[in-house]
Amino acid sequence: MKIVLGGNMYDDATMEQFIQDAGDIGYEGVELRGVGEWREAKYALSKAHEVKKLLQENRVAATNLSLFVGNFCCNSEQENEAEYAKWLDYLAFAEVIGCGMMRLNPGFQHSDEADRSDFNRSVKWFQKCAEAADELQIKTVVEMHHGTLCDSAESSIRFMEAVARSNVGLILDPVNLYQVPAEYGMEAIRLIRPYLLNVHVKDIVELWGPRYPWAFEYGDYVAHIGQYHRVIPRKFEGPSKYYCHRLMNQGGIDWHEVIGALAEVGYSGPLTVESVSKKGSELPQYRELAAYSYRELMETLARTGVKPGSGERIR
């Protein structure tokens, strides 16, 4: 399994700092985020050759573009045309920097509340984007995420089967599924294995209430994602649930189960560190957090008997 650094913890840092830290620490790749200036596809395209040089100088590969593009089930046809145009610009950027995977969002509406016409609209535009990506041999991936059409293993498979394109796959994010809550261990991993192309690694834990200074509510994603997409929140919310970010293996996610299950099904793709630290909290930030997460992930692989760089168990 390839160890990759995600850009979450560097959202307000420079691209140079992010890529240099990844190379210095020992990460094999980086997942670039479409935030800040980079949320504008034409800006990213204008910087493509600079990014390619940075990647080469620091000996890391771009494994995925983590983009805020799509959201097709929540948009009008005119809005989806604009999202498709943005997608084409990012495809050109990915081609220059040698990135073979790009995240595309089917829609921020709970899978059990989207009607058939919304679902079909998302499938249609997703197919169109995937076909454009396939011409460049680029994979189109959906991040399994609470509050979306792909908020469980079952709903994700349903969407994959509807899109039915060979270059489309899934990003498993156990933290997102933990908040649904939905299965993220062996049962889910076996189900999604034919489509699994990336795994996001971070940790949170559910709290009893909001008293912890850095607690966040389940519905916080609405405001966060709302910076980029129209979000349709759940119609009938239950009691409030609260969480906080934690270091890997110090929260509620059973990472030994996840990595053991990934090895058992023969997964050998990226493990992308997406650890998050709110400013002012007791958690480390930037390079310190990236270095800690790298060490902890490597130790977890060793404890689980998995050889880094492959999906094989150490005999």
Side-chain angles (χ1 to χ4, degrees):
M1 300 179 199
K2 186 175 187 177
I3 312 303
V4 173
L5 181 61
N8 295 48
M9 65 188 83
Y10 287 87
D11 273 357
D12 57 355
T14 65
M15 183 70 74
E16 290 80 2
Q17 181 186 350
F18 168 49
I19 293 175
Q20 183 175 345
D21 283 358
D24 289 348
I25 292 166
Y27 285 95
E28 299 172 71
V30 289
E31 181 176 273
L32 306 179
R33 296 255 293 170
V35 298
E37 295 172 312
W38 303 92
R39 68 183 291 180
E40 300 298 332
K42 291 192 182 301
Y43 174 83
L45 185 54
S46 74
K47 298 291 184 180
H49 289 285
E50 293 176 35
V51 173
K52 180 180 180 180
K53 184 180 178 183
L54 274 173
L55 293 168
Q56 292 171 338
E57 289 174 347
N58 291 280
R59 299 182 181 181
V60 292
T63 59
N64 182 35
L65 300 186
S66 186
L67 304 174
F68 293 91
V69 180
N71 203 42
F72 302 121
C73 79
C74 304
N75 294 342
S76 68
E77 288 294 279
Q78 185 177 2
E79 288 168 331
N80 284 336
E81 287 281 3
E83 292 299 301
Y84 178 67
K86 189 189 303 182
W87 178 253
L88 295 180
D89 284 338
Y90 275 124
L91 281 174
F93 173 71
E95 185 180 25
V96 171
I97 67 172
C99 183
M101 188 185 305
M102 289 168 48
R103 183 179 74 175
L104 184 62
N105 175 25
F108 268 88
Q109 184 175 18
H110 289 77
S111 64
D112 60 352
E113 293 186 348
D115 64 28
R116 176 53 58 179
S117 64
D118 293 335
F119 183 88
N120 289 343
R121 183 167 63 257
S122 185
V123 167
K124 180 187 78 171
W125 283 98
F126 214 94
Q127 289 171 332
K128 187 173 182 176
C129 289
E131 288 161 4
D134 198 35
E135 292 179 7
L136 300 176
Q137 297 183 309
I138 292 174
K139 302 289 186 185
T140 304
V141 289
V142 179
E143 181 174 347
M144 299 168 73
H145 202 295
H146 51 299
T148 72
L149 295 184
C150 297
D151 55 7
S152 68
E154 293 77 12
S155 63
S156 299
I157 291 297
R158 186 162 58 249
F159 189 77
M160 291 290 101
E161 290 177 346
V163 172
R165 295 296 183 271
S166 61
N167 67 320
V168 168
L170 295 169
I171 302 174
L172 171 66
D173 191 315
V175 158
N176 292 342
L177 299 183
Y178 175 84
Q179 293 173 78
V180 174
E183 164 68 32
Y184 64 80
M186 176 57 87
E187 184 179 339
I189 288 169
R190 279 198 180 121
L191 189 61
I192 66 173
R193 177 63 187 100
Y195 299 102
L196 185 57
L197 295 176
N198 196 353
V199 178
H200 281 170
V201 180
K202 54 182 181 283
D203 217 334
I204 63 171
V205 67
E206 186 171 1
L207 303 172
W208 283 105
R211 297 179 190 276
Y212 180 61
W214 297 281
F216 62 91
E217 197 172 359
Y218 170 84
D220 274 15
Y221 79 92
V222 175
H224 168 61
I225 299 298
Q227 301 173 81
Y228 310 99
H229 291 308
R230 179 180 296 111
V231 178
I232 300 176
R234 185 173 283 287
K235 294 174 185 174
F236 303 104
E237 291 286 356
S240 295
K241 294 191 293 184
Y242 295 91
Y243 306 88
C244 68
H245 298 293
R246 301 266 41 120
L247 297 173
M248 183 185 182
N249 289 325
Q250 294 184 20
I253 305 301
D254 187 348
W255 278 108
H256 292 80
E257 164 67 15
V258 172
I259 288 173
L262 290 170
E264 199 164 312
V265 302
Y267 176 76
S268 58
L271 294 175
T272 303
V273 170
E274 260 208 335
S275 296
V276 178
S277 172
K278 288 193 173 184
K279 279 191 173 180
S281 76
E282 75 274 28
L283 299 182
Q285 291 186 302
Y286 305 120
R287 188 185 183 103
E288 186 181 355
L289 180 56
Y292 174 91
S293 300
Y294 180 85
R295 291 193 302 270
E296 185 61 30
L297 180 51
M298 293 293 282
E299 288 171 10
T300 303
L301 288 168
R303 288 192 295 265
T304 315
V306 177
K307 182 168 60 176
S310 76
E312 300 175 2
R313 286 191 181 277
I314 300 170
R315 305 295 182 186

